[in-house]
Amino acid sequence: MGEVFAEDDLYTKDGTVDYRNNPAKKNETGTWKACPFILGNECCERLAYYGMSTNLVLYFKKRLNQHSAVASKNVSNWSGTCYITPLIGAFLADAYLGRYWTIACFSIIYVVGMALLTLSASVPGLKPSCSGDVCHPKEVQTAVCFVALYLIALGTGGIKPCVSSYGADQFDDADEVEKKHKSSFFNWFYFSINIGALVASSVLVWIQDNVGWGWGFGIPAVTMAIAVVSFFSGTRLYRNQKPGGSPLTRICQVLVASFRKFKVDVPEDKTLLYETSDAESAIMGSRKLGHTKDLSFFDKAAVQTESDHTKGNIDSWRLCTVTQVEELKSIIRLLPIWATGIMFSAVYGQMSTLFVLQGAAMNTRVGNSSFKIPPASLSIFDTLSVIFWVPIYDQFIVPIARKITGHKNGLTQLQRMGTGLFISIFAMVSAGILELYRLKYVKRHNYYELKEVPMTIFWQVPQYFLIGCAEVFTFIGQLEFFYEQAPDAMRSLCSALSLTSVALGNYLSSLLVTIVMKITAKNGKPGWIPDNLNYGHIDYFYYLLALLSVLNLGVYLAIAKWYTYKRPVGTLR
């Protein structure tokens, strides 16, 4: 079902689609005709994910009876795992299954996990028993909940790294009109994510806090099933590329060949380096890559010697093509940029942990009414910020920047990401200043034992709005950057690599919480992040993140100045 272009005349030797022999196929498939099904899938999947995860820290605290710091760390660890598992899905997509079948298979695992989570929150015997506001979960009940969550983490691992790349695959690089639309696709892809998040952080969070967790998790489970249906509905419109074989094997071959030829000199004339004589690359699904000057040690893998040939055949562990060497160079060049995204992700992760706990310690009523806003629902302002800034960026900032810079996309991908890193600093400063004033208010009126300080939760809006603005620059810039700069046959893997920065950001946040509590909660002191935040100092934690973000931005600017863009030879059809 996934191999829409199974006919031999539609594939080149490198496994990419060639429309010259059958141009009608090009008009029938891909572009914006196929994208609604992909965007619909992503919108529903993100609604399911955020509908389940946005309020998870309070579920752990209230239903699983976990301490604030423990609940925060468990959410961070689980969220981190959701961004590590994409490495598994990406490897399978690039090497064996292709993006279509990877998304399809892992979506089923996702639905099973969502169904089990719903059962753990609604079926007697599986859900914790509660007396008023105090719950008494059994170990097996907690275990079932975490099994469900980590099934979801595995399921999302096959979807996250593939969907954005699969959507971009629907646009032909050889067609200038389609290629221009590809950049807009990433903006609208992220827009669809936040439409799902908007519903999740408003309607579903309210249902969880006021109707029940069974319904609160059940609706996202149904939504995930709808996401699967949406994806399969567009099957006949999709453009697919054949997987190019194990990218890890190709990387290892270059490393082994380079070290085997440690003493071999690289010729001054780089045209003497080994490359196939065919127009297409020897790597299925990939264009040829032109030679670049940096990281020249690995060029040794493409230097031809007599021992490279065994019985008339080339030994791939002794001699690699220039394209194969440049694949490895591209990955190495991406790593420093990737590393600077970890700190940004740690800042972003505060929305599902400390921002929620901070909001829960404030007045959640709307005016003088009895209606109370679930603290996690404030993330709606992050979503609204993204929804506001995406069309502003696409329709106004890009044309203006294009006139100033002359760049086709207005800002380069590196400039765009750097702008987001800069804005994120102010998000942490804003959160810290708010907490400073909240604690002063507590001290002035002796509100230490008050569950909700009479200070409206809407003071949190600026910090959410700033993070949403930073997302539009950094996260969307990352999506496009890692797709464009990735070797053609490693695009899923590089998308997964960009996602692991989010995972490590969550792990970094968890580590910082652990270190901070270990240092500050000595000798009977409550520490910076106690159960009762009125005795704590999470403002200091926010300032710590702001300081680390400033240092991270400085490192990023130095790395971005050094970065060398990849040089494709020819064009993917």
Side-chain angles (χ1 to χ4, degrees):
M1 183 161 56
E3 294 293 344
V4 179
F5 299 124
E7 298 91 340
D8 291 338
D9 66 332
L10 288 176
Y11 280 111
T12 62
K13 291 179 181 178
D14 62 12
T16 59
V17 182
D18 186 350
Y19 300 105
R20 291 174 299 182
N21 295 331
N22 198 337
K25 282 289 184 183
K26 179 177 180 179
N27 296 328
E28 293 171 5
T29 58
T31 66
W32 292 110
K33 292 189 292 293
C35 286
F37 300 98
I38 297 171
L39 295 177
N41 168 269
E42 182 65 9
C43 180
C44 290
E45 187 273 329
R46 291 290 86 186
L47 191 155
Y49 178 82
Y50 288 118
M52 173 267 305
S53 65
T54 302
N55 217 15
L56 197 57
V57 68
L58 291 184
Y59 183 76
F60 286 168
K61 188 173 179 179
K62 293 180 178 180
R63 290 294 182 267
L64 299 186
N65 202 20
Q66 296 181 348
H67 183 279
S68 291
V70 173
S72 177
K73 285 192 290 184
N74 280 336
V75 171
S76 293
N77 291 337
W78 173 78
S79 297
T81 303
C82 287
Y83 288 91
I84 286 289
T85 54
L87 290 172
I88 300 171
F91 175 78
L92 292 174
D94 282 342
Y96 305 111
L97 297 178
R99 285 187 262 278
Y100 177 92
W101 282 111
T102 302
I103 295 170
C105 295
F106 279 78
S107 293
I108 305 303
I109 298 173
Y110 200 133
V111 172
V112 171
M114 289 297 301
L116 183 58
L117 182 65
T118 303
L119 294 175
S120 75
S122 56
V123 174
L126 287 179
K127 69 175 182 178
S129 58
C130 301
S131 304
D133 291 334
V134 181
C135 293
H136 309 281
K138 297 177 181 177
E139 288 186 10
V140 67
Q141 293 169 336
T142 301
V144 169
C145 175
F146 275 90
V147 167
L149 286 171
Y150 281 89
L151 273 176
I152 293 168
L154 177 61
T156 195
I159 300 173
K160 283 180 185 291
C162 296
V163 176
S164 61
S165 296
Y166 194 56
D169 287 346
Q170 307 308 310
F171 298 91
D172 183 6
D173 272 355
D175 187 312
E176 284 301 318
V177 175
E178 289 192 20
K179 191 173 182 180
K180 185 179 179 182
H181 287 165
K182 183 186 290 187
S183 183
S184 288
F185 166 79
F186 287 107
N187 289 326
W188 293 107
F189 176 81
Y190 206 76
F191 184 86
S192 70
I193 289 175
N194 282 273
I195 291 295
L198 177 65
V199 178
S201 59
S202 54
V203 178
L204 291 180
V205 169
W206 184 88
I207 289 173
Q208 288 164 359
D209 278 14
N210 295 277
V211 179
W213 292 96
W215 282 100
F217 289 151
I219 294 172
V222 172
T223 307
M224 186 58 214
I226 295 172
V228 176
V229 172
S230 173
F231 180 73
F232 281 120
S233 297
T235 295
R236 295 193 62 78
L237 295 174
Y238 298 144
R239 295 174 180 174
N240 299 285
Q241 292 179 4
K242 287 182 176 179
S246 172
L248 298 181
T249 300
R250 295 198 301 276
I251 288 173
C252 289
Q253 286 173 340
V254 175
L255 292 172
V256 170
S258 299
F259 282 101
R260 277 184 168 181
K261 297 178 180 177
F262 184 81
K263 296 182 179 180
V264 174
D265 293 326
V266 178
E268 288 294 327
D269 184 358
K270 299 305 184 287
T271 60
L272 297 175
L273 295 175
Y274 176 67
E275 183 58 275
T276 58
S277 57
D278 293 339
E280 287 103 4
S281 166
I283 303 165
M284 188 171 290
S286 177
R287 290 170 288 187
K288 284 185 176 180
L289 293 174
H291 177 266
T292 55
K293 294 180 180 179
D294 56 345
L295 301 170
S296 58
F297 172 79
F298 298 108
D299 291 339
K300 294 175 183 292
V303 177
Q304 300 187 65
T305 63
E306 292 182 6
S307 58
D308 294 336
H309 301 265
T310 57
K311 297 180 180 180
N313 296 320
I314 294 174
D315 183 353
S316 299
W317 292 91
R318 291 194 62 89
L319 181 64
C320 304
T321 64
V322 169
T323 296
Q324 197 172 337
V325 171
E326 290 300 323
E327 274 192 336
L328 175 60
K329 287 185 181 181
S330 295
I331 297 296
I332 294 173
R333 282 193 289 263
L334 286 174
L335 289 177
I337 298 292
W338 162 82
T340 57
I342 296 172
M343 191 61 235
F344 179 83
S345 297
V347 168
Y348 175 78
Q350 302 313 304
M351 285 197 301
S352 60
T353 54
L354 290 186
F355 280 18
V356 177
L357 296 177
Q358 183 185 35
M362 302 175 75
N363 180 17
T364 58
R365 295 183 185 276
V366 178
N368 296 320
S369 69
S370 60
F371 180 77
K372 301 185 77 173
I373 299 175
S377 285
L378 261 289
S379 63
I380 193 174
F381 290 100
D382 163 74
T383 305
L384 289 172
S385 177
V386 172
I387 292 172
F388 171 78
W389 281 108
V390 163
I392 292 295
Y393 183 88
D394 201 54
Q395 300 299 317
F396 295 99
I397 295 178
V398 168
I400 293 171
R402 189 180 289 140
K403 291 179 181 178
I404 297 172
T405 65
H407 192 274
K408 62 180 180 179
N409 293 334
L411 299 176
T412 67
Q413 295 143 6
L414 289 172
Q415 289 170 340
R416 182 173 185 172
M417 288 188 286
T419 303
L421 295 181
F422 179 72
I423 295 170
S424 71
I425 296 168
F426 294 96
M428 287 297 96
V429 172
S430 173
I433 291 173
L434 171 62
E435 184 63 11
L436 174 66
Y437 277 94
R438 195 190 73 82
L439 290 176
K440 283 184 176 180
Y441 194 70
V442 168
K443 184 177 181 180
R444 186 184 310 128
H445 298 282
N446 196 27
Y447 284 151
Y448 288 102
E449 298 304 324
L450 204 61
K451 188 176 180 181
E452 290 189 1
V453 174
M455 184 177 177
T456 179
I457 194 174
F458 287 109
W459 283 111
Q460 283 192 307
V461 170
Q463 63 206 53
Y464 280 103
F465 195 82
L466 283 168
I467 286 186
C469 180
E471 280 182 70
V472 169
F473 286 90
T474 297
F475 277 156
I476 301 178
Q478 277 184 348
L479 279 174
E480 187 175 359
F481 178 77
F482 278 87
Y483 180 86
E484 291 293 338
Q485 293 306 305
D488 295 330
M490 292 187 184
R491 279 175 166 162
S492 295
L493 192 64
C494 288
S495 292
L497 182 65
S498 71
L499 292 171
T500 58
S501 69
V502 179
L504 295 178
N506 280 284
Y507 293 146
L508 175 61
S509 177
S510 179
L511 177 63
L512 289 173
V513 168
T514 301
I515 293 172
V516 161
M517 288 302 290
K518 194 173 184 67
I519 295 173
T520 62
K522 290 181 177 179
N523 303 320
K525 294 180 180 179
W528 287 4
I529 314 172
D531 265 344
N532 185 341
L533 294 185
N534 296 333
Y535 289 101
H537 266 296
I538 60 171
D539 53 330
Y540 293 170
F541 190 79
Y542 291 141
Y543 297 145
L544 174 63
L545 291 177
L547 176 61
L548 293 174
S549 295
V550 170
L551 296 175
N552 184 63
L553 177 61
V555 172
Y556 174 84
L557 293 175
I559 293 169
K561 187 176 181 180
W562 163 83
Y563 186 81
T564 303
Y565 287 88
K566 76 171 187 180
R567 296 176 51 214
V569 176
T571 307
L572 259 180
R573 301 180 181 90

